[in-house]
Amino acid sequence: KELESAELIRHFFEKSATQLTYQGLVALHQDLAEQRLCVFYRNYHFNTLYRYQNKLYLLVTDMGYISEPNLVWEELAEVDNDTHFVTGEFRQFRHAEHGADALKAIAARQAA
């Protein structure tokens, strides 16, 4: 019985390594009212979470983005760090010099 419990716990931790489950993501969508802020704790960091037009966004605070003043929010749509960045007006962020390759490099740095 203990071995089964240990296996179940191990499986849960493997599936929720980013400290967010799909059930948790659904609960955030259900419980956070439109245009409301809350404090969100994930990956050992406190974040500002905001719901806008039925999407969830995290305020970008990582120092790796300091040279990107128009990059303000990161959409929280998946549990596996599939990232989309937007501006303060919630429009798709476009890096002026490097485009999508720069965003992939930024996302890779963040995931590491």
Side-chain angles (χ1 to χ4, degrees):
K1 180 100 178 165
E2 287 183 25
L3 188 57
E4 288 177 18
S5 295
E7 182 63 24
L8 183 64
I9 292 169
R10 185 187 63 75
H11 179 72
F12 172 79
F13 282 128
E14 286 176 359
K15 290 290 187 182
S16 60
T18 64
Q19 298 181 343
L20 180 63
T21 63
Y22 283 106
Q23 294 87 352
L25 190 57
V26 168
L28 286 169
H29 275 281
Q30 291 172 341
D31 295 341
L32 186 60
E34 184 70 17
Q35 295 189 5
R36 296 289 184 197
L37 292 169
C38 73
V39 176
F40 181 66
Y41 185 77
R42 179 180 179 207
N43 292 340
Y44 307 105
H45 291 84
F46 287 100
N47 295 282
T48 301
L49 182 68
Y50 184 64
R51 183 171 177 175
Y52 180 74
Q53 294 185 348
N54 208 30
K55 293 183 179 180
L56 299 174
Y57 295 94
L58 297 169
L59 184 64
V60 175
T61 58
D62 190 291
M63 289 300 292
Y65 305 112
I66 194 87
S67 64
E68 300 293 346
N70 293 326
L71 192 153
V72 178
W73 298 101
E74 174 184 0
E75 185 179 353
L76 179 62
E78 299 288 334
V79 297
D80 60 0
N81 291 328
D82 185 19
T83 299
H84 297 95
F85 295 105
V86 297
T87 66
E89 292 82 30
F90 296 93
R91 295 188 179 118
Q92 181 179 358
F93 171 77
R94 297 193 186 277
H95 189 278
E97 296 177 11
H98 304 291
D101 291 337
L103 288 178
K104 287 179 186 175
I106 290 170
R109 269 198 319 261
Q110 184 181 18

